[in-house]
Amino acid sequence: MEYKINCIGILTSGGDAPGMNAAIRSVTRAAIFNGIRVKAIYRGFRGLITGEIKEFQTQNVSNIIQQGGTILKTARCTEFKDAEGRKMAFETMKNEGIDALIVIGGDGTFTGARIFAQEFNVPIIGIPGTIDNDLFGTDSTLGYDTALNTIMEAVDKIRDTASSHERLFFIEVMGRDAGFLALNSAMASGAEAAIIPELETKVDQLDELIKNGFRKSKNSSIVLVAESEITGGANGLAERMKREYPEYDVRVTILGHIQRGGSPTAYDRILASRFGVAAIDALLDEQRSIMIGIVNNKIVHVPFTKAIKDDKPLDEKLVGVLHMLSI
Ligand code: F6P
C-alpha cells in the first residue's frame, strides 16, 4: 500500500467519554497542521458504512474542547461485525479518498478496527476513550479522570444524607468488568470500601467488610460497588445484607449514565490534546494498528492486540490502603 497519507477519517465509537471532543479537535488540527485533510465520520463505524461523512476545517472543532459527549455521535455498530459491513466501509473509504483512520473508543472499537485493518490493509491508529480505564498499556483512558471526579462529587452529597440517617450506602458505579472506577473513586471520596470484580473470585468481599467491622464510632458507611455480574452489583449486595445482616439500615444508589457526561477535567483535556497529536505523529511515522497510550506521563504505542486482549492489572495493594484509611 502507498504510504503517503493525504486524507484521514476520524470517528468516535462505543460508549462516549468526556474528552472525546478535545481529541477530535486535537487530531483535526494536528492533521491540518501537517497538510493532511480530515473527514469526520458520524456515528462510529456505521457512518463509514452509510457514508455519513463531512470534511472538517480547523473551525469545525472550535469551542468543543470543554464539551462532554462527542460531536461526531457514537454507536455500537453490529453491521461492522459482519464481513459484508466492513466491505461496504472500505468502499466508502475509497470513494471518499480516505487513506487512514483515527478511531477513538474502547475495547469494542479496537477489536473492529484491528480486523478491518488486517482485512483491507488500512492504516488505523486508536485513541483510548472510555470512562472504564480498562485498556491494557495505558495508565489512563480519556474520560476516566472526569468520571472519577463526577462520582466523587456525587458521593460527597450522598455522604451528607448517609450520616444524617446513620445508614450504610452501596453506591454502584460503571466500569463494565473492571474495578478502576470503584476503587479509585472510593479512595477519592474517603469511602469505607470498594467491592470490585477483580477480587470477587479471591475473597468474599462483603464478609471481609463486615468481619473487619465498619468502625464502631462511625454512624454511617459508604461502599463503592463496581457494576458487574461478578460483584452482584449494589442491589445484589443490599439483598444479601438484608438476609445476612438485617441490623444494618441499607440504601442503594446507582449512579448510572451521569458518570459519562460533563465537561472534561483539565487532565482529560490535556491527555486528549497529547493523544491527538501523537496519533498523527504515529501515522506519519508509518505506525499501524496501534493504540496511543500514556505510561508514567510518556506517550507510548500499544498494538491493538495487546490493548484489547491483555487484562489490565489493577493494583490490589490499593484495597489495603483503602482499608487502612477507613479505620
Ligand atoms: O464502556 C462504558 C460504559 O459506560 C460501561 O461502564 C457500561 O457498562 C456501559 O458503557 C453502558 O453502556 P450503555 O450506555 O450502552 O448502557
Side-chain angles (χ1 to χ4, degrees):
M1 177 148 192
E2 236 291 276
Y3 272 130
K4 176 95 180 80
I5 289 168
N6 296 307
C7 176
I8 58 158
I10 177 169
L11 60 83
T12 50
S13 163
D16 63 336
M20 280 185 164
N21 281 326
I24 295 166
R25 169 183 180 269
S26 157
V27 167
T28 302
R29 297 214 166 146
I32 293 173
F33 184 87
N34 282 287
I36 300 171
R37 292 167 65 198
V38 178
K39 295 212 174 171
I41 301 159
Y42 288 84
R43 299 185 171 77
F45 290 113
R46 181 160 301 141
L48 202 54
I49 295 174
T50 58
E52 252 192 291
I53 293 170
K54 171 181 166 176
E55 179 145 8
F56 265 16
Q57 310 299 336
T58 56
Q59 314 83 271
N60 290 100
V61 292
S62 295
N63 204 18
I64 63 167
I65 195 169
Q66 77 283 18
Q67 289 175 23
T70 160
I71 60 163
L72 298 183
K73 314 292 181 199
T74 186
R76 296 195 170 98
C77 176
T78 44
E79 300 92 301
F80 200 69
K81 290 189 177 150
D82 295 334
E84 188 54 30
R86 292 194 295 275
K87 193 160 164 284
M88 286 167 75
F90 183 62
E91 288 304 317
T92 310
M93 275 188 76
K94 279 201 299 193
N95 295 340
E96 290 280 342
I98 298 172
D99 307 310
L101 292 178
I102 308 281
V103 299
I104 308 171
D107 204 63
T109 306
F110 300 155
T111 303
R114 190 187 68 82
I115 298 170
F116 188 56
Q118 214 170 32
E119 276 175 348
F120 297 99
N121 196 21
V122 174
I124 308 185
I125 306 291
I127 293 180
T130 163
I131 64 165
D132 301 340
N133 198 31
D134 59 349
L135 289 161
F136 181 89
T138 185
D139 289 344
S140 194
T141 55
L142 291 182
Y144 172 60
D145 184 64
T146 306
L148 273 182
N149 279 281
T150 303
I151 297 168
M152 181 184 74
E153 283 169 25
V155 175
D156 288 350
K157 293 192 170 80
I158 292 170
R159 188 180 284 286
D160 291 343
T161 176
S163 68
S164 302
H165 283 269
E166 303 182 285
R167 282 171 171 160
L168 162 61
F169 265 83
F170 287 119
I171 304 176
E172 183 176 302
V173 297
M174 284 185 168
R176 209 176 289 274
D177 288 319
F180 296 98
L181 280 173
L183 181 57
N184 283 308
S185 62
M187 193 86 75
S189 54
E192 276 57 48
I195 296 199
I196 54 175
E198 289 83 347
L199 284 189
E200 197 56 28
T201 50
K202 300 183 186 158
V203 283
D204 184 330
Q205 295 176 89
L206 188 63
D207 269 355
E208 289 279 302
L209 197 67
I210 305 293
K211 217 170 25 185
N212 292 333
F214 293 118
R215 199 176 69 192
K216 296 288 173 287
S217 59
K218 272 186 186 166
N219 58 15
S220 69
S221 292
I222 304 273
V223 177
L224 270 292
V225 183
E227 66 170 356
S228 119
E229 277 173 23
I230 309 171
T231 60
N235 279 323
L237 288 166
E239 283 304 312
R240 222 187 115 188
M241 283 296 285
K242 240 187 259 168
R243 277 195 315 271
E244 297 175 27
Y245 308 99
E247 64 276 25
Y248 288 92
D249 189 10
V250 179
R251 290 291 184 279
V252 165
T253 302
I254 296 176
L255 290 185
H257 287 78
I258 196 170
Q259 296 162 89
R260 287 234 297 259
S263 181
T265 56
Y267 180 83
D268 274 332
R269 297 182 197 194
I270 293 165
L271 199 61
S273 303
R274 293 180 67 184
F275 278 173
V277 171
I280 296 299
D281 282 350
L283 260 190
L284 292 173
D285 205 25
E286 297 181 8
Q287 299 284 327
R288 303 291 179 259
S289 290
I290 53 143
M291 176 192 84
I292 304 295
I294 190 147
V295 173
N296 296 331
N297 205 28
K298 296 262 179 314
I299 292 290
V300 293
H301 294 170
V302 189
F304 280 153
T305 39
K306 281 195 92 55
I308 55 189
K309 288 226 183 88
D310 290 7
D311 271 345
K312 180 168 177 169
L314 175 145
D315 186 356
E316 289 175 14
K317 282 198 215 93
L318 293 182
V319 176
V321 173
L322 193 58
H323 174 55
M324 190 188 297
L325 299 183
S326 72
I327 56 170

